[in-house]
Amino acid sequence: MKLYTEICDLLGIKYPIISAGMGPVSGGELAAAVSEAGGLGLIGTFGCSYEELFREIKLARERTNKPIGVGLVFPPEVKEGLQMPDEKTLMAITGGRPLTEATMNLLRYFSGGFEKMLEVVLEEKVPIIVSGLGNPTDFIPQPRPYNLVIAALVGNCRQARALEAAGVELIIAQGYDAGGHTGNIGTFVLIPQVVDTVRVPVLAAGGICDGRGIVAALALGARGVLIGTRFTATPQSRAHIKFKEELIRAIDSSTVRTKSFSGKSMRCLRNRWTEEWERKDSEVLPFPLQAAKSDVMRGFLDGDMEYGCAPAGQVSAMVKKIMSAGAIVQELVKEAENILTAGVI
Ligand SMILES: Cc1cc2nc3c(=O)[nH]c(=O)nc-3n(C[C@H](O)[C@H](O)[C@H](O)COP(=O)(O)O)c2cc1C
């Protein structure tokens, strides 16, 4: 039995598998490899400049003529237009330590950088935007330019209902198990509730890394999956090699949900930083200033696994080797189709 649902037609892809937008980890190379293999690859924007985003879109298009998407976030802080903290404030927050360029880009995103990013995405006519936070329809011009499809991650039924009413075509139910910013409800419990709440197709995210997970998500009513952590451990991901190696070593208790990296709850690999902050939760600065405090992009790209942020889901323990993104898509499809053909019991 073929792994195919109606979202394949909606997105112009062969298999209902999307690789997540993961900040600078998921550049054009990773997105292109996933799309070329028949899934949909997303380019992440967190920590990138708009010039980099343009470059990564161009790179992806040189590698594949299949559709690619972009992951953006639209939290209230973007709408409010935060002021970039001045140098003195930044110095006070960081204790004088210079921030990595990627963390500076993240702060710029909330003080005007976001608009430039969205402009690049629309000018480049990227066919799919996946929103990681907030309400994208507040920002995207109406009527929709070209045949743009908007998908949005949600962590509960209230958000799913609101985003469907706002005109989002695809809802991605992302459970507590997921890497990165997450809500409070486990994936297995969240998917069927969101499926019962909205009429638009629902995708599942959080804790899926093999064919079993895909079939389980389909059985719960999802029409496809979005996967992050597994695609971090690929040669095409821009995560530092130490980050990838740490993922491979992870066991079931290696991740923790913490506000200490950004100010919002994020699931990451447990390390000295997360342990030190367990004792000083009340000192966490509001999002996104805590990201300056932690220099959040350090672990992603510079490989500081002791104090840096390495977003990763509970599924890290099941990621056993670094493997090419295209081969992962093929393996996922084969495993899922075998189970669908054989039946579950
Ligand atoms: C390394 C990493 C970085 C992430 N960065 C972002 C991000 O910048 N924006 C976002 O919306 N989600 C981000 N996420 C969350 C993913 O979009 C996705 O929801 C999640 O990875 C799915 O769960 P899984 O990791 O269990 O597959 C990130 C996840 C990981 C693992």
Side-chain angles (χ1 to χ4, degrees):
M1 193 176 173
K2 292 277 167 234
L3 179 62
Y4 162 85
T5 70
E6 74 275 20
I7 73 132
C8 297
D9 297 332
L10 177 71
L11 302 176
I13 57 179
K14 195 166 174 199
Y15 307 116
I17 298 172
I18 303 181
S19 63
M22 298 182 280
V25 165
S26 55
E29 201 183 340
L30 177 57
V34 171
S35 291
E36 192 54 26
L40 175 72
L42 300 186
I43 295 175
T45 50
F46 243 37
C48 301
S49 63
Y50 71 89
E51 291 97 336
E52 268 177 272
L53 174 61
F54 176 71
R55 208 177 57 216
E56 294 302 320
I57 295 171
K58 198 162 160 278
L59 174 71
R61 287 185 165 156
E62 281 162 12
R63 305 265 163 109
T64 184
N65 54 19
K66 308 227 163 78
I68 46 126
V70 164
L72 286 167
V73 295
F74 303 82
E77 289 82 355
V78 163
K79 208 169 180 183
E80 288 153 17
L82 285 189
Q83 281 288 345
M84 178 81 177
D86 60 33
E87 212 167 309
K88 212 168 137 211
T89 314
L90 269 185
M91 287 296 228
I93 291 175
T94 63
R97 185 170 34 87
L99 291 178
T100 53
E101 191 53 23
T103 299
M104 288 298 285
N105 284 336
L106 185 144
L107 295 174
R108 289 183 195 116
Y109 186 92
F110 293 98
S111 48
F114 158 79
E115 270 120 56
K116 272 286 200 191
M117 291 275 199
L118 185 58
E119 240 174 75
V120 170
V121 173
L122 298 178
E123 270 169 21
E124 287 301 306
K125 295 193 166 45
V126 174
I128 299 134
I129 291 180
V130 176
S131 156
L133 272 175
N135 183 353
T137 62
D138 283 348
F139 299 88
I140 288 164
Q142 288 292 349
R144 289 267 180 91
Y146 54 97
N147 288 331
L148 174 65
V149 174
I150 305 178
L153 275 101
V154 302
N156 60 47
C157 293
R158 179 185 51 77
Q159 290 168 352
R161 211 175 288 120
L163 288 170
E164 179 184 46
V168 167
E169 284 93 342
L170 261 182
I171 297 287
I172 306 171
Q174 189 227 40
Y176 173 83
D177 326 20
H181 289 118
T182 61
N184 297 319
I185 307 171
T187 304
F188 226 71
V189 178
L190 181 66
I191 304 169
Q193 293 189 67
V194 173
V195 167
D196 290 346
T197 299
V198 296
R199 292 204 186 132
V200 294
V202 174
L203 302 184
I208 299 163
C209 84
D210 61 16
R212 293 173 296 183
I214 294 175
V215 175
L218 296 175
L220 293 169
R223 310 306 290 154
V225 296
L226 176 132
I227 297 177
T229 300
R230 178 129 195 230
F231 285 109
T232 305
T234 59
Q236 291 89 354
S237 113
R238 292 166 70 207
H240 194 278
I241 183 67
K242 288 189 185 157
F243 182 174
K244 296 178 191 178
E245 286 168 355
E246 206 62 27
L247 266 180
I248 304 300
R249 274 194 289 271
I251 58 167
D252 54 3
S253 55
S254 295
T255 70
V256 63
R257 228 167 50 122
T258 175
K259 290 189 179 168
S260 65
F261 283 118
S262 72
K264 287 189 196 287
S265 285
M266 190 199 289
R267 184 174 297 285
C268 316
L269 293 177
R270 192 187 292 282
N271 62 11
R272 280 173 91 141
W273 176 275
T274 64
E275 273 162 22
E276 283 175 15
W277 277 86
E278 265 167 34
R279 294 185 291 276
K280 42 184 188 175
D281 211 34
S282 59
E283 291 173 36
V284 170
L285 298 172
F287 177 83
L289 293 182
Q290 185 68 18
K293 182 103 197 154
S294 69
D295 195 356
V296 69
M297 292 296 167
R298 224 167 0 138
F300 277 59
L301 300 173
D302 296 2
D304 177 357
M305 288 295 104
E306 242 183 313
Y307 289 96
C309 173
Q314 290 184 320
V315 82
S316 304
M318 291 166 70
V319 178
K320 302 284 187 220
K321 58 179 179 193
I322 297 172
M323 191 171 156
S324 163
I328 291 179
V329 174
Q330 283 162 9
E331 186 180 280
L332 293 171
V333 172
K334 193 163 167 237
E335 287 172 357
E337 289 186 344
N338 283 345
I339 302 172
L340 289 169
T341 304
V344 181
I345 49 170

